[in-house]
Amino acid sequence: MGEMADPIQFKDEGNKHFQAGEVDKAIECYTKAIKLCTEKKVLAVVYRNRSACFLKKESYTNAASDASKAIDVDAADVKALFRRCQALEKLGKLDMAFKDVQRCSTIEPKNKTFLETLRRLGAEIQAKLKTTFSTDSRVQNMFDILLDEEMDKDKKEMAANNLVVLAREEAGAERIFQNNGVPLLLDLLETGKVEMVLAAIRTFAGMCTGHKARVRGREDREVHYSIMAVDNEDIALATCDLFQCINDSLTGGDRRFYGKEEALVLGLKKILKVCGQIPDLPDQLPMTENTQLIASVLLDKLWDDLRCDPERDNYREVCKFDPNDMDRNIHAINALSGLLQGPFEVGNQLVGRQGIMEMMVALCGSEREVDQMVAVEALIHSSTKMSRASFIITNGVSLLKDIYKKTKNDKIKIRALVGLCKLGSAGGDDYSMRQFAEGSTEKLAKQCRKWLCNSAMDTRTRKWAIEGLAYLTQDADVKDDFVEDDPAMKAMFDLAKSKDKTILYAVACTLVNCTNSYEKKDIMPELVQLAKFSKQHVPEQHPKDKKDFIQKRVKRMLKGGVISALTVMVKADNVLLTDQTKEMLARVFLALADDPKDRGTICAHGGGKALIPLALEGSAIGKVRAAHALAKIAAVSNPEIAFPGERIYEVVRPLVSLLHPERDGVQNYEALLSLTNLAGLNDKLRVKILKEKALPEIEQYMFEDHDHIRQAATECMCNLVTCKEVQDRYLEDGNDRLKLLVLMCVEDNEKLQRAAAGGLAMLTAAQKKLCTKMTLVTLQWMEILQRLILHDQPQIQHRGLVIVYNMLNSDDNELAKKLMESEILEILTVIGKAMDNPKRQIVIDVARTCLVKAMDLGLIKPFTTP
């Protein structure tokens, strides 16, 4: 063996030892083969074989490591995958092992061993998850951490605080008590550490709340009396709270409900009562116009805060009512309207109960106006789901029409109109799903616009008119009519600017519909053909929802003053301006900024400033849309005008967020353009861009396959190279940053060439060492330099000549000499001797400067005539 130098021989020898059961000798041979082997495929086989040896020796970490090295060479090496799976399973990494055997079964789907392992690991993972998340397991885990004397201090404190949370749940409190938790908590009290003592006292309080048996079973009373004397306010207050819990549990003073009834503690019944109040009836609670809306928000918050299914079931149970109780049904229907505006899931479930929809329709037919108003409002809120809308269209449209035509009460008339509007828009923007006859929705919209423009009407009634338009503008005919109606648009914008901001959502919906900026899934033509073949419904686009119609609508809205309205809406109170509303406003801004010609108008009316808060706060989608709109504006406008003062620095973070790999190519490209624009202004902005950690992302996009993105990234880098931090990255060894810039100088894309050459010119001027390094990164550097200074574009030629001058000025005499001994001297001479030309003067001047520098270095002599 000592004489062998061939890795194949070592591998074969190792195979023989392995088959003979001599695992240690096999490992020795495989290790020698690895040291000698240079061929990747052979090396992968040797690593795979050594992995099998380590499995035999139960050295699972080494086995997994070797198998991974084999997989790095061939990702479909099924033997290496399965060996790594076996090793990972033994190491307890079941999820990773499961992924490996899953890949094995994909490659060899009929292999019974893989299928059996896949089934077994899946079952083990499920069992492990069940154990991990069970209450017993969590309690035991906390105890194990607290009892471990070598455990990290921070982990112990976290475990103690987790016990507090568990003690507030009945199951957790009982397990702590049953698992001998009291003595352990007493030990925590004895530590004297404030955080541990507080955690122990609060855990005791959770265990004792509402449970006499656990209170009587405790043996720690004397300890708590002494703790009250501790000179720490937090500990003393926590101990007092514990005594209060103990006293209430023993005396029955704690009358709070727990478990299923916890939602009642939060006032659910009282809030529902408020929701059910009808101001037009006698003996009602005093209310303002927004009382029911606030109550709906509270109901929604309560629903969101519930922690488990039993609490949610109880919430639904409290909300139920009997549709046969005719004395209370009008209040119940009004409360249902409140639920539908708050926790919609609960309200929608109630609407689905037998008799509820029928009750609404029956109330519509009542002779009392108050019954009609409550019922119509409930119908409006409940017809969000297509199934409900279909029921009402079948059973209630005629009633709504009768109410609308016959009633003299404007409040009821407008509600009936909005109900019809909502039902008419039940098909969304699907042209083939119109609910009413041709022209009906346009008539409804015309009436809404008429009421909207009637300033003599009260604001609440006009708000209902906007609600109607928010539904109807899903129809393209209605959109076109609305944007052509200047008085209606102006009336809506004026209402949006008024003090009453509860209308913001409806206005935002209308604007999203008019600009077609809602989310629209791309439908593959193949799927459309398949759906038609199988006789499934295929949505149809309205002819007026095509791009040219949308652009015309956008122009009309910009002319009508939509930007001013949007800027005022953005400044609304955060409570009223929900994340969903912010997202819709961001979508509208993005649609309005689509045409570069319109971006100046947006900036002139304050749209740039208004977009910044939308890009920094709100939903994830909303922030991306707002950031994209900012990028569109910053890419083509003067940023100092679009974002005056300090606001310009707030724009950087949203723009950098668009460089994330999850964003699409258009967003990446326009973000790079806008950052290029900003980086060209001043050092402070360049430093801000670097602080937001944009540099690695920009470098990554310089390697992008897409020409436009690569060009934009290079232009951005060109503007950043004046920063010392960027220059240091190019000075670092072990990377291809400088090489990439040099090679980009000979790309076919002239804009990319110009950016790369500009970056090189500035880098070599700032860091003389880079002049020498540039000659080491590629053997073609001289040829590339010659191509630059011979380029027919003066801007690129100028950059190339500056690089030559920087090299002559770099204090590297050998480099300067090499340049002057090449064809570059002849090229410089020809350019320098050229007649002065205003169009190329800058090029001629730099060439002459290079020749003067060469003469100063003694590399050439001045030309003399005999």
Side-chain angles (χ1 to χ4, degrees):
M1 280 177 59
E3 296 176 358
M4 284 193 293
D6 183 3
I8 302 293
Q9 287 180 275
F10 279 123
K11 177 178 78 70
D12 294 340
E13 191 71 25
N15 292 347
K16 291 176 184 177
H17 286 305
F18 183 77
Q19 289 166 4
E22 298 168 342
V23 178
D24 289 330
K25 289 183 179 180
I27 290 174
E28 186 182 343
C29 289
Y30 291 141
T31 303
K32 289 179 179 178
I34 288 167
K35 290 178 180 177
L36 295 171
C37 190
T38 56
E39 190 180 340
K40 284 188 176 182
K41 289 186 178 180
V42 176
L43 193 60
V45 173
V46 179
Y47 272 123
R48 185 179 71 198
N49 292 353
R50 195 172 71 168
S51 175
C53 296
F54 283 131
L55 279 174
K56 288 277 187 184
K57 287 182 66 67
E58 298 182 3
S59 179
Y60 300 119
T61 303
N62 288 330
S65 176
D66 275 4
S68 295
K69 288 170 183 174
I71 294 164
D72 287 342
V73 177
D74 181 6
D77 187 338
V78 75
K79 288 184 179 179
L81 282 167
F82 190 63
R83 282 170 192 167
R84 187 170 71 175
C85 163
Q86 292 173 301
L88 290 171
E89 182 184 359
K90 293 295 184 181
L91 290 169
K93 299 177 181 179
L94 299 183
D95 53 339
M96 295 170 69
F98 184 82
K99 287 179 182 177
D100 279 346
V101 76
Q102 202 171 33
R103 285 169 67 187
C104 291
S105 62
T106 303
I107 297 166
E108 294 184 13
K110 294 184 180 179
N111 190 309
K112 291 182 180 179
T113 304
F114 296 161
L115 294 173
E116 175 57 31
T117 307
L118 189 68
R119 185 200 60 75
R120 178 172 53 77
L121 286 177
E124 287 179 17
I125 289 170
Q126 290 300 320
K128 185 179 178 181
L129 286 171
K130 189 174 181 181
T131 303
T132 302
F133 292 106
S134 68
T135 303
D136 284 4
S137 173
R138 286 191 293 166
V139 171
Q140 190 58 52
N141 188 35
M142 296 305 105
F143 282 169
D144 291 343
I145 293 171
L146 292 168
L147 290 168
D148 188 347
E149 294 181 0
E150 298 180 359
M151 186 60 68
D152 182 72
K153 173 191 169 186
D154 291 339
K155 288 187 177 180
K156 280 196 171 188
E157 288 180 4
M158 188 179 292
N161 288 325
N162 285 342
L163 274 181
V164 176
V165 176
L166 287 170
R168 290 172 183 164
E169 301 174 7
E170 177 58 29
E174 188 61 26
R175 292 317 305 162
I176 294 170
F177 190 77
Q178 295 295 339
N179 284 9
N180 205 26
V182 174
L184 176 62
L185 293 171
L186 291 174
D187 290 341
L188 291 181
L189 292 174
E190 294 296 330
T191 63
K193 297 175 182 175
V194 175
E195 294 83 1
M196 304 289 265
V197 172
L198 276 171
I201 295 171
R202 288 166 180 164
T203 304
F204 274 126
M207 291 166 60
C208 295
T209 301
H211 204 290
K212 287 184 181 180
R214 284 201 290 266
V215 172
R216 289 173 177 158
R218 289 168 48 258
E219 305 165 351
D220 56 326
R221 297 176 186 81
E222 292 183 6
V223 177
H224 282 120
Y225 295 141
S226 63
I227 286 178
M228 284 193 72
V230 173
D231 187 16
N232 184 292
E233 185 177 352
D234 290 336
I235 292 176
L237 287 171
T239 310
C240 290
D241 181 58
L242 171 60
F243 283 138
Q244 185 67 52
C245 292
I246 293 169
N247 181 67
D248 288 346
S249 296
L250 292 174
T251 61
D254 186 355
R255 298 186 180 278
R256 290 177 292 172
F257 294 98
Y258 296 92
K260 280 191 170 186
E261 294 295 320
E262 189 169 353
L264 296 180
V265 180
L266 304 173
L268 179 56
K269 285 184 174 178
K270 290 184 179 180
I271 299 170
L272 285 170
K273 183 179 179 181
V274 171
C275 272
Q277 297 296 294
I278 302 164
D280 294 339
L281 293 179
D283 302 323
Q284 301 294 294
L285 295 172
M287 295 172 66
T288 67
E289 285 188 352
N290 294 324
T291 299
Q292 191 185 48
L293 182 61
I294 295 167
S296 297
V297 173
L298 275 173
L299 289 170
D300 196 37
K301 292 287 184 187
L302 289 177
W303 176 255
D304 288 341
D305 288 343
L306 298 181
R307 296 171 295 179
C308 57
D309 288 340
E311 289 180 355
R312 292 190 182 93
D313 291 340
N314 188 52
Y315 187 110
R316 295 188 190 98
E317 194 64 35
V318 172
C319 293
K320 284 182 181 178
F321 59 89
D322 183 4
N324 297 316
D325 186 353
M326 297 306 291
D327 293 333
R328 299 178 58 194
N329 59 11
I330 187 171
H331 294 286
I333 292 295
N334 210 39
L336 180 57
S337 288
L339 285 166
L340 287 164
Q341 293 176 81
F344 181 80
E345 180 184 334
V346 180
N348 190 52
Q349 198 170 41
L350 289 175
V351 172
R353 293 186 67 206
Q354 186 176 358
I356 302 298
M357 294 297 291
E358 289 80 0
M359 184 198 299
M360 292 184 197
V361 174
L363 281 172
C364 283
S366 170
E367 293 182 1
R368 284 202 313 173
E369 288 187 343
V370 67
D371 292 346
Q372 293 176 3
M373 188 161 68
V374 169
V376 170
E377 276 201 34
L379 283 173
I380 292 169
H381 296 309
S382 62
S383 59
T384 299
K385 288 282 185 182
M386 186 65 185
S387 57
R388 310 273 185 259
S390 300
F391 175 89
I392 301 167
I393 288 167
T394 306
N395 300 281
V397 167
S398 57
L399 279 171
L400 287 173
K401 286 181 178 177
D402 286 343
I403 292 171
Y404 175 70
K405 289 175 182 177
K406 294 176 181 178
T407 185
K408 295 180 181 179
N409 186 324
D410 284 343
K411 292 181 179 180
I412 299 174
K413 187 183 280 286
I414 187 65
R415 284 164 174 77
L417 176 63
V418 173
L420 291 168
C421 292
K422 190 168 185 179
L423 295 173
S425 66
D429 64 346
D430 184 352
Y431 187 49
S432 63
M433 290 284 286
R434 288 192 167 195
Q435 303 297 322
F436 296 154
E438 187 79 28
S440 296
T441 50
E442 289 93 314
K443 289 178 182 177
L444 292 171
K446 186 177 180 180
Q447 186 61 45
C448 285
R449 298 202 308 273
K450 181 180 175 182
W451 285 23
L452 176 59
C453 295
N454 188 350
S455 56
M457 283 189 168
D458 63 283
T459 303
R460 186 173 175 81
T461 303
R462 295 173 72 201
K463 280 162 60 178
W464 275 104
I466 298 179
E467 290 276 356
L469 286 170
Y471 296 122
L472 290 178
T473 46
Q474 293 183 67
D475 185 304
D477 288 319
V478 175
K479 299 177 196 181
D480 267 17
D481 291 344
F482 177 67
V483 298
E484 292 294 331
D485 189 341
D486 288 332
M489 269 207 300
K490 186 177 184 304
M492 186 177 78
F493 295 156
D494 288 343
L495 274 177
K497 296 175 186 177
S498 66
K499 291 182 180 180
D500 186 355
K501 299 299 181 185
T502 56
I503 196 62
L504 293 180
Y505 184 79
V507 174
C509 283
T510 305
L511 295 175
V512 165
N513 290 338
C514 288
T515 56
N516 282 51
S517 51
Y518 40 76
E519 203 71 50
K520 193 78 174 175
K521 290 183 179 179
D522 293 329
I523 301 174
M524 294 173 63
E526 295 84 356
L527 291 179
V528 173
Q529 293 299 321
L530 184 62
K532 287 180 178 178
F533 180 76
S534 57
K535 296 183 179 179
Q536 298 294 316
H537 173 70
V538 178
E540 292 180 23
Q541 185 186 42
H542 195 291
K544 290 186 178 179
D545 272 332
K546 292 181 179 176
K547 190 171 182 180
D548 53 341
F549 284 95
I550 298 170
Q551 289 173 340
K552 287 177 184 176
R553 288 199 291 269
V554 166
K555 302 288 183 187
R556 290 287 304 176
M557 291 171 71
L558 286 166
K559 189 177 178 182
V562 65
I563 300 297
S564 299
L566 288 170
T567 54
V568 174
M569 290 167 73
V570 170
K571 293 175 185 175
D573 186 89
N574 278 336
V575 176
L576 296 170
L577 195 64
T578 63
D579 285 352
Q580 193 174 1
T581 307
K582 288 177 185 176
E583 181 182 324
M584 289 194 290
L585 295 179
R587 287 178 182 277
V588 174
F589 267 119
L590 182 58
L592 296 173
D594 188 57
D595 187 345
K597 295 176 184 176
D598 296 329
R599 294 171 196 173
T601 305
I602 295 171
C603 294
H605 291 87
K609 293 180 286 185
L611 274 166
I612 295 172
L614 294 178
L616 295 173
E617 296 177 3
S619 67
I621 295 173
K623 288 191 287 187
V624 171
R625 297 291 184 273
H628 193 186
L630 281 173
K632 284 180 177 292
I633 292 169
V636 299
S637 308
N638 183 342
E640 291 174 312
I641 296 173
F643 316 106
E646 293 299 308
R647 288 189 182 88
I648 195 170
Y649 300 101
E650 297 176 38
V651 177
V652 175
R653 181 172 296 173
L655 295 179
V656 172
S657 71
L658 292 180
L659 299 181
H660 195 280
E662 288 184 2
R663 305 284 84 83
D664 64 42
V666 175
Q667 291 167 346
N668 299 153
Y669 175 66
E670 294 188 324
L672 288 166
L673 289 181
S674 55
L675 287 170
T676 303
N677 211 357
L678 291 174
L681 291 177
N682 57 56
D683 285 334
K684 192 174 177 182
L685 271 169
R686 286 189 281 272
V687 170
K688 175 68 174 173
I689 291 169
L690 297 181
K691 280 185 177 179
E692 293 296 338
K693 299 178 180 177
L695 196 55
E697 303 287 358
I698 295 168
E699 286 180 339
Q700 177 186 331
Y701 287 118
M702 288 176 70
F703 289 90
E704 180 68 40
D705 290 335
H706 197 287
D707 287 345
H708 291 307
I709 293 177
R710 188 163 77 251
Q711 173 198 319
T714 308
E715 288 173 346
C716 189
M717 184 60 72
C718 179
N719 282 356
L720 290 171
V721 293
T722 55
C723 296
K724 183 70 166 58
E725 182 181 334
V726 179
Q727 295 166 13
D728 290 342
R729 288 172 77 91
Y730 277 90
L731 284 167
E732 291 172 3
D733 293 325
N735 64 75
D736 290 329
R737 294 188 184 99
L738 189 61
K739 182 178 180 180
L740 178 66
L741 265 187
V742 175
L743 295 177
M744 279 180 173
C745 290
V746 289
E747 288 275 352
D748 293 335
N749 183 337
E750 287 188 353
K751 290 183 179 178
L752 180 59
Q753 274 186 290
R754 187 173 63 218
L760 274 177
M762 287 189 280
L763 281 169
T764 51
Q767 297 291 339
K768 293 182 178 181
K769 291 179 181 179
L770 288 175
C771 294
T772 305
K773 186 177 179 181
M774 180 178 158
T775 65
L776 303 174
V777 294
T778 174
L779 296 174
Q780 287 82 35
W781 68 272
M782 183 74 78
E783 181 187 343
I784 292 170
L785 205 53
Q786 289 174 9
R787 289 180 65 176
L788 283 177
I789 62 177
L790 285 170
H791 206 284
D792 56 359
Q793 288 292 329
Q795 290 182 324
I796 297 174
Q797 190 179 20
H798 171 242
R799 285 159 172 76
L801 289 166
V802 171
I803 297 169
V804 172
Y805 175 78
N806 292 338
M807 287 180 156
L808 292 170
N809 195 40
S810 67
D811 301 333
D812 185 338
N813 292 331
E814 288 299 319
L815 174 56
K817 186 178 178 182
K818 191 179 290 186
L819 284 172
M820 290 301 101
E821 289 174 351
S822 70
E823 294 177 3
I824 286 179
L825 175 58
E826 185 180 345
I827 299 169
L828 290 174
T829 305
V830 172
I831 298 171
K833 285 183 176 181
M835 296 288 291
D836 287 352
N837 181 346
K839 292 183 178 180
R840 301 182 63 84
Q841 194 60 44
I842 190 169
V843 173
I844 296 168
D845 289 343
V846 177
R848 291 170 180 173
T849 306
C850 290
L851 290 168
V852 171
K853 183 65 182 177
M855 284 189 286
D856 292 343
L857 293 171
L859 298 173
I860 60 173
K861 293 180 181 180
F863 178 76
T864 57
T865 55

